[in-house]
């Protein structure tokens, strides 16, 4: 079993920045791939970014490329999402997720554990 706790969400003006954190516990974090997803009201959950177990492979949705950066600290069992140049359309609940096989993938159903989410609101 893996527990994930997201933090760092909040309200920010367009053009601003936020850094989300996701702390994992319960199993060997360094073997996992980690992903961030988001879900806006009335929309399906969508892929944002993912990082492989070794941090050697990262993936980004086109909508966030060049603005968001995923990173991980295996010693702290934590994955981060640095979000810059935020836009109102980035408003959503952001979730982190674990792929226990270490595979960074944009496919939602391939993630085994999910956090409860943290709200990000970007005002115009």
């Amino acid at each position: 079993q893996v527990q994930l706790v997201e933090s760092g969400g909040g309200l920010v003006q367009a053009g601003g920045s936020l850094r989300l954190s996701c702390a994992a516990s319960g199993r060997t974090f360094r073997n996992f791939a980690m992903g961030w997803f988001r879900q806006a009201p009335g929309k399906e959950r969508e892929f944002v970014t993912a990082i492989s177990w070794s941090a050697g492979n990262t993936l980004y949705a086109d909508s966030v490329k060049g603005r968001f950066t995923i990173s991980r600290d295996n010693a702290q069992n934590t994955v981060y999402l640095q979000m810059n140049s935020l836009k109102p359309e980035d408003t959503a609940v952001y979730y982190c997720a674990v792929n226990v096989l270490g595979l960074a993938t944009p496919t939602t159903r391939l993630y085994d554990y999910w956090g409860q989410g943290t709200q990000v609101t970007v005002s115009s």
Side-chain angles (χ1 to χ4, degrees):
Q1 192 73 11
V2 176
Q3 294 78 42
L4 302 172
V5 179
E6 301 98 334
S7 61
L11 174 63
V12 64
Q13 288 188 332
S17 298
L18 283 174
R19 189 176 82 152
L20 306 183
S21 300
C22 174
S25 62
R27 286 177 61 179
T28 308
F29 175 80
R30 64 177 178 273
N31 294 334
F32 303 153
M34 303 295 297
W36 286 98
F37 293 75
R38 66 187 182 186
Q39 188 166 18
K43 295 187 177 181
E44 292 189 355
R45 192 169 298 188
E46 65 174 3
F47 170 75
V48 177
T49 180
I51 187 167
S52 64
W53 68 273
S54 66
N57 185 32
T58 55
L59 302 175
Y60 293 93
D62 288 343
S63 58
V64 306
K65 279 181 182 176
R67 301 189 298 122
F68 290 11
T69 303
I70 190 171
S71 61
R72 64 189 296 160
D73 183 340
N74 288 342
Q76 298 295 322
N77 289 355
T78 301
V79 64
Y80 303 98
L81 179 60
Q82 178 67 44
M83 304 186 295
N84 298 329
S85 303
L86 282 161
K87 305 174 181 180
E89 51 263 44
D90 295 318
T91 295
V93 177
Y94 283 70
Y95 299 89
C96 68
V98 165
N99 176 291
V100 298
L101 298 180
L103 173 66
T105 172
T107 305
T108 307
R109 62 178 175 81
L110 294 182
Y111 286 83
D112 305 284
Y113 299 96
W114 293 81
Q116 293 299 307
T118 186
Q119 177 70 48
V120 171
T121 303
V122 184
S123 62
S124 57

